[in-house]
Amino acid sequence: MSHEEHNTQAEINIKNDVEKHGWTVCLFEADTATPSFAYTIGLWKNFNHPELIAFGLPLDTMHAVLNDAGDIIKAGNPLETAVDNFEILERHPVQFRPVDADNIPDYFGYAQWFYNYEAFPALQLFWTDKSGKFPWEPEFDESYQLDQPRLDQKLDFKFFEPRNVATFVARQIFKEGKPILRVYHDDDDGSWQFLSEDDVTSEDAMIVCLEEVVKRDPSVNQLFNMPTGQMATREFVGAKWVRDAIDEIGQQDES
């Protein structure tokens, strides 16, 4: 989530909370592209401790557990990594693991602003499934797999949809090597469409799994958090994506 989406009042609240309490917790509701998540701001500044982030739990739960973790840190007890912790989530173990630096910009927008876009470390809180398994364990319940991304590793695929989900791709992209310049995330069925600069018809459409599209052009990973009902365009590969609401009439004219 980029800082362009933030607002001045939120920035004021963050500064006030960090000054008063030592840290604050930013909460983000789930939408059609990403699960709910929450992260701290201020732990690195005031306690020389990595910031924290959690995914996929109710917002009030994440708010509470991150504040509880903050209290532990404030008391002079840094969180251990890669070990079961039973102090944070009642009756259930959690583990904290370092967030790969490449994943920081994808989620810590307000924190990046707070730290003037200078590097800072973070830990991700991981919770278990009903059988007590963590996401990296073979027996982990796959129905929870998309609720908490593995930010502790470099991600070649950032979308929360399954890798094999079907997408509609203009034939020219795979058959003629044309660049992906327009992307639609449909509101009706949640499907993705990847188009080039050419006008296309239904006869130009290919069905390709999302993973193959990302392999073809890894820069589409930047759209992993684009909700349904939005589109993104760019002038060339490497240019900044510009997002907007889908113009339904315009999209229908192209299909």
Side-chain angles (χ1 to χ4, degrees), residues 217-238:
D217 183 353
S219 67
V220 301
N221 260 327
Q222 298 168 15
L223 303 178
F224 78 95
N225 59 357
M226 186 169 75
T228 56
Q230 289 193 7
M231 61 178 290
T233 59
R234 61 182 176 181
E235 295 183 0
F236 53 88
V237 175

Side-chain angles (χ1 to χ4, degrees), residues 178-183 194-197 216-223 231-243:
K178 294 292 184 69
I180 298 174
L181 301 179
R182 291 178 291 160
V183 179
F194 297 91
L195 309 177
S196 190
E197 76 274 21
R216 182 80 177 187
D217 183 353
S219 67
V220 301
N221 260 327
Q222 298 168 15
L223 303 178
M231 61 178 290
T233 59
R234 61 182 176 181
E235 295 183 0
F236 53 88
V237 175
K240 181 180 179 180
W241 289 104
V242 178
R243 302 187 187 187

Side-chain angles (χ1 to χ4, degrees), residues 13-245:
N13 293 342
I14 288 170
K15 288 182 176 179
N16 289 341
D17 284 350
V18 172
E19 182 177 352
K20 181 177 180 180
H21 304 291
W23 71 90
T24 191
V25 177
C26 296
L27 304 170
F28 299 88
E29 295 182 353
D31 59 23
T32 54
T34 58
S36 59
F37 68 99
Y39 61 82
T40 63
I41 300 175
L43 297 179
W44 180 241
K45 177 179 185 293
N46 291 317
F47 308 108
N48 198 35
H49 189 284
E51 301 295 349
L52 307 176
I53 189 168
F55 287 87
L57 297 172
L59 291 182
D60 57 349
T61 299
M62 290 189 288
H63 194 188
V65 298
L66 292 185
N67 273 330
D68 288 346
D71 287 335
I72 293 172
I73 294 164
K74 184 178 181 179
N77 302 304
L79 299 173
E80 294 185 71
T81 59
V83 297
D84 288 359
N85 184 315
F86 288 89
E87 296 182 80
I88 303 298
L89 199 58
E90 186 176 357
R91 297 190 302 275
H92 298 283
V94 301
Q95 282 198 23
F96 292 92
R97 295 198 168 194
V99 174
D100 187 280
D102 288 347
N103 297 321
I104 293 286
D106 290 335
Y107 296 97
F108 287 86
Y110 277 117
Q112 286 193 298
W113 159 80
F114 183 82
Y115 289 114
N116 296 314
Y117 297 92
E118 296 181 0
F120 60 89
L123 300 178
Q124 181 177 354
L125 180 154
F126 287 98
W127 42 270
T128 64
D129 63 14
K130 294 180 180 179
S131 299
K133 302 297 182 182
F134 286 101
W136 49 84
E137 296 183 283
E139 302 86 359
F140 183 73
D141 187 341
E142 292 186 358
S143 65
Y144 295 102
Q145 198 70 53
L146 301 179
D147 290 333
Q148 47 181 344
R150 293 285 307 277
L151 301 190
D152 59 323
Q153 57 189 5
K154 293 187 183 298
L155 300 176
D156 62 348
F157 184 87
K158 296 186 177 183
F159 290 85
F160 285 88
E161 287 93 340
R163 290 173 179 261
N164 63 352
V165 69
T167 70
F168 297 97
V169 182
R171 173 185 55 80
Q172 293 86 344
I173 293 170
F174 274 81
K175 299 298 184 181
E176 301 175 17
K178 294 292 184 69
I180 298 174
L181 301 179
R182 291 178 291 160
V183 179
Y184 296 89
H185 198 185
D186 287 347
D187 210 9
D188 292 338
D189 58 7
S191 64
W192 290 88
Q193 296 183 31
F194 297 91
L195 309 177
S196 190
E197 76 274 21
D198 300 319
D199 291 334
V200 296
T201 67
S202 58
E203 296 179 355
D204 293 313
M206 296 175 57
I207 297 178
V208 181
C209 71
L210 184 55
E211 182 177 30
E212 290 302 316
V213 177
V214 173
K215 287 181 179 179
R216 182 80 177 187
D217 183 353
S219 67
V220 301
N221 260 327
Q222 298 168 15
L223 303 178
F224 78 95
N225 59 357
M226 186 169 75
T228 56
Q230 289 193 7
M231 61 178 290
T233 59
R234 61 182 176 181
E235 295 183 0
F236 53 88
V237 175
K240 181 180 179 180
W241 289 104
V242 178
R243 302 187 187 187
D244 202 351

